Amino acid sequence: MNWPTTAAEAIAVQEELREQVDRSDHGRAPRFVAGLDVQYDGDRLAAAVVVLEWATLAEVDRAVVPGTTKFPYVPGLFAFREVPALLDALEQLTSTPDLLVCDGQGVAHPRRFGLASHVGVLTGIPAIGVAKTAFVGTHADPASARGSTAELVLDGEVVGAVVRTQDGVKPLYVSVGHRVSLPTAISHTLHLSPRYRLPETTRAADRLCRDAL
DNA sequence: GCGACAG
DNA sequence: ATCTTGTCGC
């Protein structure tokens, strides 16, 4: 695969691929869910993917690959920094997940094509974005109880939801990546976060690439 | 113009 | 992402 080098090229790629994003549901509840994350140390990086069984959240597969940064962090072009390494890691899996949980935004993005949408479109696998902080949009503060949500609005369009995964803790920013509806993305996020603020998928992937560096 | 800005 | 101490709470 050939990756863009300049911001202009990267934006052109996003404008092209954004048309393929599907914001609707497909199929039944997932059986295997993957968490994706990347860790950095200077120019070196480690990309990790951990697959959990949906029903038990027990780990069934994992892959972590080393790499080097080939694109700077630019708000709005974040995916070009992580996607190449994440695709490498996905190829190393012996199983095929049917839901990808990405550490960042999906369509809650200036051009509606954040990391989760990028990974989803390139793999064809349903994907959702679960970010720890806001990137774009305005929203009300969701009620303090676990499960409470608030719409994330950008240019008059609902691009995601602010979701409280635990009582009284900072909410997460959930958005559609690809082939999953927003209500389903919210439901999935809550299922994957039975005890902590972050989904178990994200926690597992974060641990793996952190240890790998 | 100024500030904000996923990881 | 990373730089960084102590502190409150289970």
Side-chain angles (χ1 to χ4, degrees):
Chain A
M1 178 123 221
N2 230 12
W3 299 98
T5 308
T6 67
E9 290 172 358
I11 290 173
V13 169
Q14 292 181 327
E15 297 288 6
E16 173 73 21
L17 296 179
R18 60 180 289 184
E19 296 171 24
Q20 294 177 42
V21 173
D22 180 351
R23 305 191 191 191
S24 62
D25 289 317
H26 291 272
R28 299 289 297 149
R31 284 216 301 162
F32 298 115
V33 202
L36 289 63
D37 194 24
V38 177
Q39 204 69 214
Y40 300 88
D41 178 29
D43 285 343
R44 296 187 313 124
L45 61 79
V49 180
V50 178
V51 182
L52 308 183
E53 181 182 20
W54 175 263
T56 62
L57 300 189
E59 181 177 327
V60 296
D61 196 6
R62 62 161 64 189
V64 58
V65 301
T68 55
T69 56
K70 284 149 186 165
F71 204 93
Y73 169 68
V74 179
L77 301 180
F78 173 56
F80 295 94
R81 190 171 169 76
E82 305 209 331
V83 169
L86 289 174
L87 293 182
D88 286 345
L90 282 167
E91 287 180 7
Q92 302 305 309
L93 293 176
T94 55
S95 57
T96 303
D98 34 34
L99 176 67
L100 305 178
V101 180
C102 300
D103 200 353
Q105 319 288 345
V107 300
H109 176 278
R111 288 171 291 282
R112 312 298 192 272
F113 199 70
L115 175 66
S117 295
H118 208 135
V119 172
V121 166
L122 292 188
T123 62
I125 299 173
I128 66 175
V130 180
K132 296 180 285 295
T133 61
F135 178 36
V136 294
T138 58
H139 63 86
D141 188 31
S144 63
R146 164 181 156 82
S148 300
T149 66
E151 291 184 332
L152 181 61
V153 179
L154 178 64
D155 301 327
E157 176 195 356
V158 175
V159 296
V162 185
V163 181
R164 193 86 66 184
T165 54
Q166 295 299 325
D167 292 353
V169 303
K170 273 176 45 177
L172 297 179
Y173 294 77
V174 178
S175 57
V176 168
H178 186 50
R179 293 170 63 84
V180 181
S181 71
L182 181 57
T184 298
I186 294 170
S187 167
H188 285 171
T189 298
L190 287 167
H191 171 85
L192 296 169
S193 313
R195 171 146 192 214
Y196 301 105
R197 175 182 180 236
L198 297 177
E200 290 302 315
T201 38
T202 301
R203 287 165 46 78
D206 182 78
R207 251 177 291 128
L208 178 55
C209 55
R210 194 177 293 275
D211 291 346
L213 278 184

